[in-house]
Amino acid sequence: MTQRYRGNSVAVILPCYNEALVIASVIASFRQALPEAQIFVFDNASSDGTEEAARAAGAVVRQVTQRGKGNVVRRLFADVDADIFIMADGDGTYEAQQCRRMVDKLLDNGLDMVVGTRVPVGAGGEYRPGHRLGNRLLTGTVGRMFGPGFTDMLSGYRVLSRRFVKSFPSLSRGFEIETELTIHALELRAPFGEVPTAYGSRVEGSRSKLSTVRDGLLIAEAIVRLFVRERPRQLYLALATIVAIVALLLAIPIFMEYVETGLVPRFPTAILAGLGMIASLVLAATAVILDSVVTGRTEAKRLRYLEIAGPRAADAS
């Protein structure tokens, strides 16, 4: 019989790729921190024996052949059923002992997501200055575009409610999955919180799969793509305004010359100005149409979210 924590089933889900050196210790750390949780390892076609090490440590192991963390998270969200999900990387850098505190915060405050914000400890080799700067820039950008609230948007350590997980339309393929989770919470207006957690270095011999530049660009591209998809009214109205201003700047000298002389000597410029105003009107109409589409899609996601029961906020035993 599956054990329950404060009346809820809990699953620890660990996406992994070539983490044979540390996965057993990570599983043991989470089992010690929250014995009531069932531990799942989703192995992304590792070649170093990660699957065998995870099975030997007592975890339930699933194989995901499509490369990329986003593909792994999409699969694990679909396959695992629990009231509360604890998601962390399988590289041993996150503080497993904090998961109970994070789950308690989610239950006590009726939240749908609790993010473990990273506090570097020791050498802090995994949270390099380039990573910290990129995280601040990307988190700030998302805050300005979609709303504030998160301080460490790219943390892979999260506690999630079942209704959040099962209403999440995962589309990402790689490390931009954390960005998508964050924006989904902001768009859904789901209650969330943060808990500071220690973030350590990898054990000697293991290697990070994150590239500061490459994955940073992918995350930035994902933010732009999600902005276009979720904020078309702002985007197309801004474009319509710019095009209209340019068209007016072209048209004003021609109009003034026509008033003075009764002639329109620059027909190509006049035609271009007229086409610019037409394009501006088309962009404005597109903004209105796409905004209605986004509103309908958001309402559907919200209704799906409301159909799923949240965790039971039972008193701690």
Side-chain angles (χ1 to χ4, degrees), residues 11 30 32-33 47 79 81 84 102 139 146 148 162 182 205 233 252 256 258 263 267 273-274 294-295 301 314:
F30 277 102
Q32 181 181 16
S47 58
D79 287 3
D81 193 22
I84 299 171
M102 293 167 69
T139 300
F146 296 95
R162 182 176 185 273
T182 299
R233 178 169 58 86
I252 288 173
M256 292 177 64
Y258 173 76
L263 301 174
F267 273 105
V294 170
T295 300
K301 287 192 292 186

Side-chain angles (χ1 to χ4, degrees), residues 1-204:
M1 182 177 177
T2 303
Q3 297 185 52
R4 306 179 78 82
Y5 178 70
R6 296 179 60 181
N8 296 279
S9 59
V10 182
V12 175
I13 44 181
L14 304 170
C16 285
Y17 174 61
N18 287 344
E19 301 291 0
L21 291 175
V22 295
I23 188 59
S25 63
V26 173
I27 292 169
S29 296
F30 277 102
R31 182 174 289 122
Q32 181 181 16
L34 198 64
E36 299 87 348
Q38 187 174 12
I39 300 177
F40 296 83
V41 170
F42 280 72
D43 180 44
N44 200 192
S46 297
S47 58
D48 68 342
T50 297
E51 178 181 3
E52 292 77 8
R55 289 189 191 280
V60 178
V61 181
R62 298 284 186 270
Q63 275 289 339
V64 182
T65 57
Q66 290 178 300
R67 285 290 173 84
K69 186 176 180 181
N71 290 322
V72 177
V73 171
R74 179 165 54 252
R75 172 74 180 275
L76 62 86
F77 279 2
D79 287 3
V80 178
D81 193 22
D83 296 318
I84 299 171
F85 294 74
I86 302 170
M87 185 174 73
D89 296 337
D91 57 10
T93 55
Y94 289 108
E95 186 181 10
Q97 290 74 21
Q98 284 284 46
C99 70
R100 183 181 291 269
R101 180 185 172 195
M102 293 167 69
V103 171
D104 284 340
K105 180 164 185 172
L106 183 136
L107 293 173
D108 293 340
N109 295 280
L111 307 178
D112 284 306
M113 176 190 289
V114 176
V115 179
T117 57
R118 292 169 289 182
V119 180
V121 296
E126 292 310 307
Y127 206 19
R128 299 188 292 272
H131 288 182
R132 291 197 291 270
L133 175 61
N135 188 18
R136 286 196 297 270
L137 290 174
L138 293 170
T139 300
T141 300
V142 166
R144 286 187 290 272
M145 287 183 174
F146 296 95
F150 288 91
T151 61
D152 188 3
M153 179 190 75
L154 302 182
S155 172
Y157 194 11
R158 298 173 187 241
V159 171
L160 308 162
S161 71
R162 182 176 185 273
R163 63 183 174 188
F164 185 90
V165 166
K166 298 303 180 181
S167 65
F168 175 62
S170 177
L171 301 175
S172 299
R173 297 181 180 180
F175 284 105
E176 62 271 26
I177 184 66
E178 284 87 5
T179 302
E180 192 179 2
L181 283 165
T182 299
I183 292 175
H184 181 66
L186 292 170
E187 286 296 280
L188 203 61
R189 299 179 188 175
F192 60 86
E194 295 182 330
V195 170
T197 59
Y199 188 67
S201 300
R202 285 174 166 268
V203 300
E204 185 177 353

Side-chain angles (χ1 to χ4, degrees), residues 294-311:
V294 170
T295 300
R297 190 172 68 237
T298 302
E299 290 173 350
K301 287 192 292 186
R302 182 71 185 177
L303 289 173
R304 171 59 182 160
Y305 165 82
L306 293 173
E307 287 176 355
I308 305 169

